[in-house]
């Protein structure tokens, strides 16, 4: 066990704060009045970023519309707002899109992270949380779970770009003593998740009686955690995580994809005949599972939301917020959906 840090953030830059997990983090931090100097969100509002996610809180944070790859803008943002802490969520985050168009993943996830790190180093930032993913570890066989010592072995352009950014962050921590901490979480679910990801895609298709496209045999396994539990873990890492360390985050909650889809159908009262098996994802990782022992023992964090409760709440949220997902699914998303599913 490493001795926990004791850090009090003042003014926090949240990159990607208009996305799914970033907006949940901003919401929780504002509701719990966590940062005395306030929050600055830096986001360039890609298809996945939506300020509507934070519309009710718009006066409670500063917003900078911009790209993390823009070094001048990043420097100016850190300076103008006297930022002392960075929580870095901004990324291209969808594996299937990284197969259809990989280059933007390297640009945002690798170059963007590097630009942000360098600007943060020059400003003597007190703590930098790099939000990474369990996908950097690659795929597991039927047994065991990822620990922080599992070798990095990514398989998709998305996970490779996240792994590359992790390595740069680790190099900054080692070379410059830069106070960065890396978190690697398993699959998140909850409100405001863009409906390209498994759970919201299945909910929004089932509501409209559209086919539910399950890749391959549907027996790939993911380890699901509610996004609010992930947010709470990041807050724990911000306060007590040791610079230079990696923390895995997961809820010990493994499910096959087909069982997740069946659960969604059961919660919505829809028939299993909507399930359609489609061609598998390329290089589809078979199983992810996180061993969260370190963050539990060292930082005292544990997940609080039982999966069936979280899923019921999530399904209810999508049922109540049909106007939100109808709006985000217009335009570019329709082209993506056609490319991804109609020519499979
Ligand atoms: P998301 O796709 O919902 O949101 C990403 C956000 O980043 C969007 O608001 C987008 O506009 C913004 N963004 C993208 N490119 C940008 C750029 N160049 N400059 C500024 N902003 C930019 O993603 P998410 O699911 O909320 O994931 C957030 C982070 O958490 C990512 O780093 C992801 O790798 C990591 N993560 C996600 C999961 C998951 O299950 N979703 C699990 C573990 C880790
Ligand atoms: O593990 C953490 C990662 O989880 C994050 O780093 C990523 O940002 C996030 O997108 C997620 O990646 P996955 O690829 O695991 O999530 P996705 O929701 O895309 O897929 C979950 C599983 O469901 C996966 O095995 C593929 C399968 N799937 C997905 C879609 C979109 C289907 O069977 N059909 C589908 O239509």
């Amino acid at each position: 066990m490493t001795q926990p840090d004791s850090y009090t953030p003042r003014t926090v830059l949240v990159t990607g704060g208009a996305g799914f997990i970033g907006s949940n983090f901003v919401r929780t931090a504002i509701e719990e009045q966590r940062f005395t100097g306030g929050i600055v969100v830096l986001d360039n509002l890609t298809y996945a970023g939506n300020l509507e996610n934070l519309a009710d809180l718009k006066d409670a944070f500063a917003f900078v519309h911009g790209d993390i790859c823009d070094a001048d803008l990043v420097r100016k943002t850190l300076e103008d707002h006297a930022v002392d802490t960075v929580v870095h969520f901004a990324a291209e985050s969808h594996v299937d899109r990284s197969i259809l168009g990989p280059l933007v993943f390297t640009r945002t996830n690798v170059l963007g992270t590097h630009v942000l790190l360098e600007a943060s180093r020059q400003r003597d930032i007190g703590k930098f949380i790099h939000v990474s993913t369990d996908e950097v570890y690659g795929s597991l066989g039927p047994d065991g779970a990822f620990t922080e010592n599992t070798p990095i072995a990514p398989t998709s352009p998305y996970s490779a770009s996240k792994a590359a950014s992790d390595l740069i962050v680790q190099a900054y921590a080692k070379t410059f003593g830069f106070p960065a901490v890396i978190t690697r979480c398993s699959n998140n679910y909850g409100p405001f998740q863009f409906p390209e990801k498994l759970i919201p895609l299945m909910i929004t298709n089932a509501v409209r009686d559209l086919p539910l496209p399950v890749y391959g045999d549907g027996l790939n396994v993911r380890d699901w955690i509610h996004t609010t539990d992930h947010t709470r873990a990041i807050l724990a890492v911000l306060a007590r995580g040791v610079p230079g360390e990696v923390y895995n985050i997961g809820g010990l909650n493994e499910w096959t994809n087909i069982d997740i889809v069946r659960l969604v159908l059961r919660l919505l009262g829809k028939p299993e005949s909507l399930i359609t098996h489609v061609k598998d994802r390329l290089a589809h990782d078979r199983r992810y599972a996180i061993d969260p022992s370190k963050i539990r023992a060292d930082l005292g964090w544990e997940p609080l939301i039982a999966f069936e409760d979280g899923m019921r709440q999530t399904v209810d949220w999508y049922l109540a917020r049909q106007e939100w997902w109808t709006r985000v699914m217009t335009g570019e998303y329709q082209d993506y959906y056609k490319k991804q599913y109609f020519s499979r």
Side-chain angles (χ1 to χ4, degrees):
M1 175 170 171
T2 43
Q3 212 40 42
D5 196 22
S6 174
Y7 181 75
T8 307
R10 215 166 34 79
T11 306
V12 180
L13 178 72
V14 180
T15 71
F20 163 49
I21 307 173
S23 64
N24 184 292
F25 178 85
V26 170
R27 178 171 297 281
T28 304
I30 290 172
E31 285 170 357
E32 296 182 2
Q33 301 183 334
R34 288 286 183 144
F35 312 130
T36 52
I39 294 179
V40 184
V41 169
L42 171 61
D43 198 302
N44 70 344
L45 303 180
T46 67
Y47 76 92
N50 192 349
L51 274 182
E52 209 184 315
N53 300 2
L54 293 168
D56 54 322
L57 299 171
K58 70 177 180 344
D59 298 326
F61 65 95
F63 179 65
V64 178
H65 185 190
D67 189 337
I68 54 166
C69 298
D70 181 343
D72 290 340
L73 175 86
V74 171
R75 261 198 304 273
K76 188 167 159 21
T77 303
L78 295 175
E79 213 172 285
D80 287 355
H81 295 271
V83 169
D84 62 4
T85 306
V86 176
V87 183
H88 176 35
F89 293 97
E92 288 294 334
S93 68
H94 192 35
V95 173
D96 292 321
R97 286 185 190 255
S98 82
I99 296 168
L100 289 173
L103 274 182
V104 67
F105 283 73
T106 301
R107 181 184 182 277
T108 297
N109 300 357
V110 186
L111 178 64
T113 299
H114 199 167
V115 165
L116 188 67
L117 264 177
E118 183 53 19
S120 303
R121 177 173 83 91
Q122 284 173 10
R123 255 201 75 83
D124 275 339
I125 288 298
K127 205 159 188 178
F128 184 110
I129 309 297
H130 176 60
V131 181
S132 187
T133 168
D134 63 353
E135 296 203 11
V136 300
Y137 297 122
S139 188
L140 283 168
D143 304 313
F146 300 130
T147 74
E148 290 78 1
N149 296 322
T150 301
I152 302 287
T155 59
S156 73
Y158 162 68
S159 53
S161 69
K162 292 296 287 188
S165 66
D166 286 18
L167 294 179
I168 300 171
V169 172
Q170 283 177 327
Y172 266 57
K174 284 217 170 71
T175 308
F176 304 117
F178 181 72
V181 190
I182 296 176
T183 61
R184 295 187 180 135
C185 189
S186 60
N187 284 65
N188 283 221
Y189 72 99
F192 294 110
Q193 186 166 32
F194 196 83
E196 64 190 352
K197 307 281 166 59
L198 179 74
I199 289 176
L201 179 78
M202 296 301 156
I203 296 171
T204 54
N205 275 15
V207 166
R208 294 171 295 160
D209 295 312
L210 295 175
L212 307 192
V214 172
Y215 299 161
D217 60 10
L219 296 179
N220 299 62
V221 172
R222 296 292 182 265
D223 186 353
W224 293 94
I225 184 171
H226 195 281
T227 188
T228 300
D229 279 328
H230 184 188
T231 282
R232 291 179 37 260
I234 293 172
L235 286 167
V237 171
L238 196 49
R240 301 188 294 284
V242 177
E245 293 286 315
V246 174
Y247 294 90
N248 283 354
I249 302 167
L252 298 171
N253 181 40
E254 291 181 54
W255 286 69
T256 60
N257 293 337
I258 192 74
D259 283 342
I260 289 284
V261 175
R262 288 193 184 116
L263 173 63
V264 167
L265 289 169
R266 183 157 55 77
L267 290 170
L268 284 168
K270 294 284 183 175
E272 292 198 4
S273 55
L274 288 174
I275 296 174
T276 316
H277 286 267
V278 299
K279 192 165 151 261
D280 211 350
R281 175 184 277 175
L282 297 178
H284 193 178
D285 289 337
R286 193 62 172 168
R287 176 172 165 258
Y288 303 145
I290 281 279
D291 175 350
S293 312
K294 179 176 170 179
I295 189 167
R296 283 179 175 232
D298 289 9
L299 307 187
W301 168 87
E302 55 181 320
L304 298 179
I305 302 178
F307 188 58
E308 290 251 352
D309 296 344
M311 279 296 288
R312 196 172 300 278
Q313 177 232 83
T314 302
V315 165
D316 287 346
W317 187 89
Y318 280 88
L319 284 173
R321 296 295 296 269
Q322 187 144 359
E323 90 295 338
W324 177 88
W325 54 263
T326 308
R327 199 155 38 244
V328 302
M329 281 159 69
T330 53
E332 183 273 351
Y333 183 75
Q334 296 301 324
D335 296 337
Y336 162 75
Y337 198 87
K338 272 185 212 130
K339 259 192 237 148
Q340 177 63 18
Y341 294 101
F342 289 3
S343 52
R344 266 190 121 80

